[in-house]
Amino acid sequence: VSLGAVTLFCISLFSFLVFLRYQIYYGYPLETYLEYPIIIAQDVILLFCIMHFSGKAKRALFYAVVFWVGWYVLTLHKWIIDLAMNLCTFVSAASKLVQLQHLWQTKDSGQASALTWGMSAYTCAARIITTVMTTNDLAVLIRFIIMLILNIWVTATILHYSKTKKTD
């Protein structure tokens, strides 16, 4: 496992932490973010396993300390948590744009799953509805709208290149 993959994984994990902390900070109902602690726990276990089996377990302690400190720094001031939420939206969008760029360059859907990306789009659509019904938080709505658009775009691109590959 490359250091770049571990770094990207940590950035994704931190994005989950920011989103969870944002929901808690604003006192939103538990039902609106209940899945995030479970996802974070899975990611932490996976990160630890990656570090352990690649012989970098000491580095896992460093990451744990960084996440622990980050958890508390996020809520020192309201502007910090708001900025972090917006930066996480940017990071999530950037990762999907990188996926799209790769698909366009290779003109091959490869191992990308249209079903998985379609489920991600469905999840974003459901989160938009639940956010409107529960908190109506603009930052969260913008995040899920952007992710919905990009997930649909990736799904359509995968379907396009998988059909092109079969007809050639």
Side-chain angles (χ1 to χ4, degrees), residues 4-144:
V6 171
T7 303
L8 289 175
F9 179 77
C10 289
I11 290 169
S12 296
L13 180 58
F14 195 71
S15 292
F16 279 125
L17 287 171
V18 167
F19 192 76
L20 176 63
R21 192 65 169 161
Y22 183 89
Q23 299 285 329
I24 292 169
Y25 180 81
Y26 282 105
Y28 292 150
L30 183 63
E31 304 84 45
T32 63
Y33 61 88
L34 187 60
E35 74 271 13
Y36 285 99
I38 296 166
I39 292 170
I40 290 169
Q42 291 172 345
D43 287 345
V44 168
I45 292 167
L46 181 59
L47 179 61
F48 177 75
C49 289
I50 290 170
M51 295 293 202
H52 175 72
F53 291 113
S54 65
K56 299 174 184 172
K58 290 180 183 177
R59 192 176 294 172
L61 179 61
F62 169 75
Y63 285 120
V65 169
V66 169
F67 289 134
W68 185 264
V69 169
W71 180 258
Y72 289 100
V73 168
L74 284 171
T75 55
L76 288 177
H77 297 284
K78 181 183 179 305
W79 68 267
I80 295 173
I81 191 74
D82 292 339
L83 177 65
M85 181 63 170
N86 292 326
L87 288 175
C88 287
T89 299
F90 176 75
V91 168
S92 295
S95 69
K96 289 169 182 30
L97 290 170
V98 167
Q99 177 71 38
L100 279 167
Q101 181 183 18
H102 175 75
L103 289 167
W104 295 331
Q105 287 175 345
T106 62
K107 295 186 181 352
D108 181 19
S109 61
Q111 297 297 315
S113 167
L115 179 60
T116 301
W117 283 94
M119 287 172 50
S120 292
Y122 172 78
T123 301
C124 287
R127 295 297 303 209
I128 290 168
I129 293 167
T130 57
T131 300
V132 167
M133 292 174 65
T134 57
T135 64
N136 212 20
D137 185 298
L138 187 59
V140 175
L141 283 172
I142 290 170
R143 175 182 176 78
F144 285 122

